[in-house]
Amino acid sequence: MNSMVSLRSVFMDGGCNSRFQDKQKMLKARKKPVKVLAVSSQKADKSIKVGILGASGYTGVELIRFIANHPYFSISLMTADRKAGQSIGSVFPHLITQDLPDLVAIKDADFSNVEAVFCCLPHGTTQEIINGLSTRLKIVDLSADFRLQDVHEYAEWYGQPHKASELQKEAVYGLTEIYRNKIQSARLVANPGCYPTSILLPLVPLLKDSLIELQDIVIVSNSGVSGAGRSAKEANLYTEVSEGIFSYGITRHRHVPEIEQELSDAANSKVTVSFTPTLMPMSRGMQSTINVKMAPGVLVEDLKQHLKKFYEKEEFVVVLPDGQAPHTKYVQGSNGCHINVFPDRIPGRAIIISAIDNLVKGASGQALQNLNLMMGFPENTGLSCMPLFP
């Protein structure tokens, strides 16, 4: 059996097939004799122990789902203050078959057997906790606490002073396809927000090459309710959100400074956007519609071809065929981002649409993609999952 290749190596990281996405390759593969291979669920002998702080939330449970199929990472620590002492199966019954440690309070957490940490805690609570962790740990923070380079801007938008300003200087913004080289050598990565991820992936390449104007960027983003987290809130009750949509955080959503920070860096000039988020009556998914003014002499096809070339070697970012609008259903459960560009009826303007799963590419999937890079593994390890449909 030593000569047998496990399904994990064939299908890239355990159970999710991305090898035969090309139709012609699939047809050829069907004509070849099939050899039945041994299925191995064993982790590598020297797996890297990771901790998840805030494992009882939606982003925490998504990390558990992906790490279950990761050949090199295993979970040795999970915290959840309100659920301390409970098993993960009692909090999330769909995980009852998983052999995982019980949840503990952060104050009781033992990091001696941990090499890397995902921090899935609410903003405002993360800075002091991360500041108190050993510098030997690799950390991916899924909160907003280290995303803004200017600590004064953080205080303005989040209503409290930054409590780890020196550590902020070390943090690398974790938009993987854009900052891959910096992430590889980072100790602390600030994982992007879901709205910014869906907006920055299409806009950053266009601003870098001056294909669109810096002014009059208008963005409307639609998100599933899971983006608000798992804690009980009246506004998120089923009867409040079902059979209707509503905009919120109008003109003052906390992702605005994050979006403008990264767009300004890409353009090497100050960029201000109009951004309106809208809550949709669905569990997960995010679609951003971005209206832009093209630079003089630039055509819609130029925008599309530039994005196709920029992302042509990327597994997770796909520019769709002409006329096909990105749909949240077609990326659900996956780390994918679908993008397309359309002509506006107003001359000189274009409409760019992107779709992601807010819990995966917008949070936990991108976080795992980043830690893979930080630990020296292929960044798609454990993430090459087909979207869930329907």
Side-chain angles (χ1 to χ4, degrees), residues 8 15 18 37 43 49 78 90 132 145 190 234 259 300 327 351 355 359:
R8 176 170 287 120
S18 67
L37 303 176
K43 296 282 186 182
K49 304 296 190 295
M78 298 190 296
S90 66
D145 277 13
E234 182 179 288
I259 295 166
V300 169
H327 192 310
I351 301 170
L359 292 178

Side-chain angles (χ1 to χ4, degrees), residues 301-343:
E301 186 61 21
D302 298 329
L303 302 187
K304 180 163 184 175
Q305 290 305 317
H306 185 74
L307 288 171
K308 287 182 70 174
K309 184 176 181 180
F310 191 90
Y311 289 118
E312 64 182 348
K313 295 182 180 179
E314 298 292 345
E315 177 173 350
F316 299 122
V317 183
V318 178
V319 180
L320 299 177
D322 290 347
Q324 184 174 334
H327 192 310
T328 58
K329 274 288 186 183
Y330 302 149
V331 292
Q332 184 170 291
S334 80
N335 199 48
C337 173
H338 288 181
I339 301 172
N340 215 341
V341 186
F342 301 87

Side-chain angles (χ1 to χ4, degrees), residues 5-19 21 39-44 63-73 315-316 335 365 368-369 372-373 376-386:
V5 180
S6 73
L7 283 180
R8 176 170 287 120
S9 62
V10 174
F11 291 116
M12 296 181 68
D13 316 323
C16 296
N17 181 0
S18 67
R19 185 181 179 187
Q21 290 180 355
V39 178
S40 172
S41 61
Q42 297 294 316
K43 296 282 186 182
L63 282 167
I64 294 170
R65 178 169 75 92
F66 285 115
I67 294 174
N69 285 325
H70 199 291
Y72 308 119
F73 294 163
E315 177 173 350
F316 299 122
N335 199 48
L368 182 55
Q369 193 178 352
N372 281 334
L373 277 172
F377 299 120
E379 65 188 62
N380 64 354
T381 308
L383 286 170
S384 296
C385 293
M386 290 292 215

Side-chain angles (χ1 to χ4, degrees), residues 12 20 31 33 37 81 106 111 114 164 178 215 221 269 380:
M12 296 181 68
F20 296 131
K31 297 177 182 178
L37 303 176
D81 285 0
I106 288 180
F111 293 92
V114 174
I178 305 301
Q215 299 79 30
S221 296
S269 182
N380 64 354

